[in-house]
Amino acid sequence: MYILRTENVTMKFGGLVAVSDFNLEIKHNEIVGLIGPNGAGKTTAFNIITGQYTPTEGFVFFNNEDITTCSPYEITRLGIARTFQNIRLFKDMTVLDNVLVGNHLRLRSPLLSSVLRSPRYRKEERHMIQKSFNLLRDLGLDDVLYEKAYSLPYGKQRRLEIARALATDPKVILLDEPAAGMNPQESIELMNFIHEIREKFDLTILLIEHTMQVVMGVCERIYVLDHGVTIAQGTPEEIQNNPKVIEAYLGVN
Amino acid sequence: MKNDQKTRRILSIALIALVGIVLFLCNQYLDSYQLRIINLCGIYITLGLSLNLIYGFTGLFSLGHAGFMAVGAYTTALLTMPPQLKQMNFFLEPIVPWLANVEVGFFWALIIAGSITGLIGFLIGAPVLKLRDDYLAIATLGFSEIIRIVFTNLQNVTNGPLGLKGLPPYTTIWWSWGFALVSILFMAYLFKGSYGRAFIAIREDEIAAEAMGINIFRHKILSFTIGSFMAGIGGGLLAHLMGTIDPLMFRFLLTFNILLIVVLGGMGSISGTVISAIVVTVSMEYLRFLDGPMNFLIFKTDGIPGMRMVIFSLLLMIVILFFQRGLMGSKELSWDFILGPKDKTLNLPEEE
């Protein structure tokens, strides 16, 4: 029983085949890595899973439910959250507000009762703020609650993006290059952090990463893409010794 | 902390009372010309806020405001005009029978006008809100012109190019500022809450907002419909202040005036819009001397109509060059701003 599964997913942009015949299978609570050289189709695969793109062929299943043609917001509601390669925070909003936006999808009061502050809305809002605060505290961002998101240092912006994604109550979280721009020390912290959130929120994690230290350190299984084709999959040890992978990364002489 | 919130609430109520007293005194002692300007200020606050909701807060570059105001103005006018007045106005072609004898109170006329405008905003929004930025601006501008052309040609409903004359002067300071106050409170509470945050998130980053599970399209339509509702009410108030409406009143220039207020005041700032609505409306009137003959010592002009707008355009350019985000940016002149922020710890809303 897989929580997230893609079946022969192919994505063509005109004549370019960005991803071809991609079969991903992730079990509950796994941490899976997706690696490959630049332009291998990793982010395209993410965009297909999260509904930004509808694949040319193939299907995406979440808990055995076909989500191939769902729009991004429906997929987030079902329980797949993501972060972006180039951080996409709501820059002019405070840290707390950024996370509160992640709660909006579970809000049940209509607009008018939010304006009139009905008791039901106030209860929901209270719960929302408490939840966001707890999340920010768990992620060590509670000292910057009312700072604007753009004013945070890079590492905290990355963490805030993860906090915001967690606010949507995901079952699966997709991290697009979480360690980009981090120094080795920060990368190690990130690895611990990924393990922590998995335990705490009972998550399944799929991540794209270039920093091999992080990928090999944190992932239980790895898929390797090259020019849209899955050239290998397996445990970190298997991947490290796979001649095809070495070839893709280092080239052949 | 709780006290903090209480002080702020008392201060707000005191401020509203103060404005009320000032308006009362104005109503007593000012002449009708000055009162008209104060009325216009109130109406432009409502209109400015309605465009700020759509453009400044949700990031939808809409240029269709004049069209929405036209719908509001005509609906209110047709609903409040007494039957004899309608008969007098429609001398070319009689008015359609189902409108001939309708007459409702001003308040209900405004609410119905707002609802019809909101409905039209919804119907226009459904197809055009798929567009973004400049394309959305062009499409909404087009729809606004379509509304105007339709009104010019619906002789037996709108009296066509002749317009409607002699509307009862229902708009008083209490109506225009009452609706302004309701709009301000509505916006303030909306943007304190979750829907307001979702609107701003859409402005900040649409892709990220959708990845947060926000149904972008639904929220855009919501914002657009509420904005049109407010624009319709503003149009209705304006009609009964002017006393005369015709389709030519609702050209692009009217949209431009409101856009000017929003951009000068700061996109995404409620208090900015309020301040700039007052400043722009008052100076529009008091700069009228610019349109008249002027003596520059070296040369004389005998009055160039539209000179005011040149000054306003220059003002707009200066603001855009030096304060990219308008007078207030997205900041608010709130009690937090004046008294210093509340303590930086978590503020949970009070339990009821």
Side-chain angles (χ1 to χ4, degrees):
Chain A
M1 169 76 188
Y2 300 104
I3 186 161
L4 185 65
R5 187 161 62 88
T6 68
E7 207 178 278
N8 306 324
V9 162
T10 300
M11 184 77 211
K12 291 179 188 158
F13 295 107
L16 178 87
V17 184
V19 174
S20 86
D21 216 15
F22 182 55
N23 287 293
L24 178 80
E25 284 165 339
I26 305 179
K27 285 195 205 100
H28 179 72
N29 230 290
E30 263 188 315
I31 300 180
V32 176
L34 191 57
I35 63 170
N38 286 325
K42 305 181 296 287
T43 300
T44 306
F46 260 39
N47 286 339
I48 292 168
I49 295 170
T50 56
Q52 249 98 32
Y53 301 148
T54 306
T56 327
E57 285 162 44
F59 303 95
V60 184
F61 294 96
F62 174 64
N63 276 334
N64 273 341
E65 191 183 338
D66 184 1
I67 57 163
T68 317
T69 54
C70 287
S71 31
Y73 79 89
E74 291 169 324
I75 289 176
T76 311
R77 278 174 197 202
L78 287 173
I80 302 181
R82 71 170 295 180
T83 65
F84 294 90
Q85 189 174 355
N86 42 345
I87 305 177
R88 282 179 173 272
L89 288 172
F90 306 123
K91 293 194 185 67
D92 210 31
M93 298 172 83
T94 63
V95 170
L96 180 62
D97 280 352
N98 263 276
V99 180
L100 285 171
V101 169
N103 283 289
H104 183 67
L105 77 168
R106 307 278 175 229
L107 186 78
R108 296 189 33 230
S109 307
L111 186 135
L112 211 56
S113 75
S114 95
V115 174
L116 299 173
R117 312 260 124 188
S118 72
R120 178 170 142 216
Y121 174 78
R122 291 167 82 103
K123 204 175 147 210
E124 280 193 284
E125 169 109 355
R126 221 186 129 76
H127 171 75
M128 218 184 238
I129 294 178
Q130 191 66 60
K131 192 182 133 199
S132 305
F133 176 73
N134 291 344
L135 203 56
L136 286 166
R137 192 189 49 210
D138 290 347
L139 270 62
L141 289 164
D142 53 339
D143 52 335
V144 287
L145 285 182
Y146 296 104
E147 304 291 330
K148 290 275 162 91
Y150 67 78
S151 69
L152 295 187
Y154 190 78
K156 285 194 173 180
Q157 290 198 10
R158 282 257 171 237
R159 236 185 301 168
L160 175 56
E161 219 193 2
I162 295 174
R164 197 181 63 175
L166 289 175
T168 63
D169 299 324
K171 298 183 186 75
V172 178
I173 188 165
L174 278 61
L175 306 173
D176 200 344
E177 297 199 27
M182 288 189 174
N183 64 34
Q185 177 57 35
E186 285 172 326
S187 301
I188 292 170
E189 283 172 19
L190 179 82
M191 284 159 60
N192 294 331
F193 175 69
I194 290 174
H195 277 294
E196 260 173 47
I197 59 170
R198 171 174 68 165
E199 298 314 320
K200 198 171 247 159
F201 300 99
D202 191 32
L203 287 173
T204 307
I205 296 169
L206 174 64
L207 59 93
I208 294 177
E209 193 45 74
H210 280 297
T211 321
M212 281 307 141
Q213 185 200 8
V214 173
V215 180
M216 298 303 166
V218 82
C219 296
E220 287 152 356
R221 275 190 314 119
I222 294 170
Y223 286 80
V224 189
L225 287 186
D226 188 26
H227 297 292
V229 182
T230 317
I231 55 168
Q233 55 166 305
T235 62
E237 294 75 39
E238 288 166 8
I239 295 297
Q240 270 166 325
N241 302 316
N242 188 314
K244 269 192 184 166
V245 177
I246 296 167
E247 189 187 309
Y249 268 90
L250 301 174
V252 269
N253 44 353
Chain B
M1 187 165 82
K2 212 165 179 186
N3 263 336
D4 226 15
Q5 271 174 357
K6 220 172 234 170
T7 346
R8 276 149 224 259
R9 191 164 293 167
I10 293 167
L11 278 170
S12 305
I13 293 168
L15 183 69
I16 292 168
L18 185 70
V19 172
I21 293 167
V22 170
L23 288 177
F24 177 75
L25 291 175
C26 288
N27 210 7
Q28 292 281 311
Y29 298 109
L30 293 184
D31 58 44
S32 64
Y33 170 64
Q34 287 163 321
L35 271 180
R36 194 185 160 89
I37 296 171
I38 291 175
N39 265 310
L40 272 178
C41 287
I43 296 171
Y44 273 111
I45 289 174
T46 309
L47 291 170
L49 287 176
S50 71
L51 186 61
N52 208 345
L53 170 64
I54 296 174
Y55 182 31
F57 283 101
T58 322
L60 306 168
F61 191 13
S62 158
L63 293 178
H65 242 57
F68 294 138
M69 287 168 64
V71 176
Y74 272 96
T75 314
T76 326
L78 288 170
L79 286 177
T80 53
M81 281 163 83
Q84 314 92 289
L85 188 63
K86 280 182 192 158
Q87 224 167 12
M88 269 163 63
N89 265 293
F90 288 79
F91 56 83
L92 272 185
E93 244 182 80
I95 188 166
V96 283
W98 50 273
L99 268 174
N101 291 312
V102 198
E103 198 185 349
V104 297
F106 188 45
F107 177 75
W108 292 112
L110 283 174
I111 298 297
I112 295 169
S115 311
I116 290 180
T117 316
L119 181 71
I120 292 196
F122 175 80
L123 293 176
I124 291 175
V128 303
L129 289 177
K130 301 263 182 205
L131 304 172
R132 278 183 201 178
D133 307 331
D134 315 1
Y135 303 102
L136 179 63
I138 294 166
T140 45
L141 182 60
F143 269 109
S144 161
E145 283 299 294
I146 290 172
I147 290 174
R148 195 169 66 79
I149 301 297
V150 168
F151 279 17
T152 313
N153 291 292
L154 273 182
Q155 190 72 41
N156 53 5
V157 179
T158 62
N159 207 17
L162 294 171
L164 300 171
K165 295 187 181 65
L167 305 182
Y170 287 136
T171 305
T172 62
I173 258 185
W174 306 117
W175 283 116
S176 51
W177 281 82
F179 275 105
L181 179 68
V182 172
S183 310
I184 294 169
L185 290 177
F186 176 83
M187 294 282 281
Y189 279 107
L190 176 62
F191 287 99
K192 250 175 81 179
S194 194
Y195 283 89
R197 282 192 293 269
F199 289 156
I200 298 176
I202 292 173
R203 176 193 73 194
E204 291 286 303
D205 193 323
E206 227 179 283
I207 293 173
E210 191 164 29
M212 289 295 102
I214 295 172
N215 184 341
I216 301 284
F217 188 62
R218 184 169 161 260
H219 281 78
K220 281 183 172 177
I221 287 266
L222 253 175
S223 160
F224 201 69
T225 307
I226 298 170
S228 338
F229 177 88
M230 287 162 72
I233 288 187
L237 287 167
L238 198 62
H240 285 271
L241 182 70
M242 300 287 184
T244 304
I245 49 171
D246 63 70
L248 278 184
M249 237 177 90
F250 301 98
R251 277 176 301 188
F252 177 66
L253 193 63
L254 191 60
T255 305
F256 175 78
N257 283 344
I258 298 161
L259 193 63
L260 183 76
I261 289 171
V262 172
V263 175
L264 281 181
M267 304 216 303
S269 170
I270 300 168
S271 43
T273 301
V274 174
I275 295 168
S276 110
I278 295 171
V279 169
V280 169
T281 316
V282 171
S283 37
M284 280 268 190
E285 286 303 322
Y286 284 95
L287 289 178
R288 265 191 201 282
F289 72 90
L290 289 169
D291 288 6
M294 276 183 292
N295 189 347
F296 289 105
L297 292 177
I298 317 157
F299 64 94
K300 285 180 183 175
T301 65
D302 7 298
I304 312 164
M307 216 27 210
R308 281 182 301 162
M309 291 320 288
V310 176
I311 300 293
F312 273 106
S313 304
L314 281 175
L315 204 63
L316 189 62
M317 275 162 69
I318 291 169
V319 167
I320 285 169
L321 282 175
F322 295 103
F323 310 84
Q324 263 96 355
R325 310 210 42 200
L327 203 63
M328 299 287 297
S330 56
K331 290 191 200 70
E332 290 295 349
L333 192 67
S334 58
W335 297 121
D336 285 352
F337 189 84
I338 297 165
L339 305 173
K342 284 178 254 191
D343 38 3
K344 286 279 180 184
T345 51
L346 186 69
N347 295 304
L348 274 177
E350 304 153 49
E351 201 135 26
E352 290 270 291

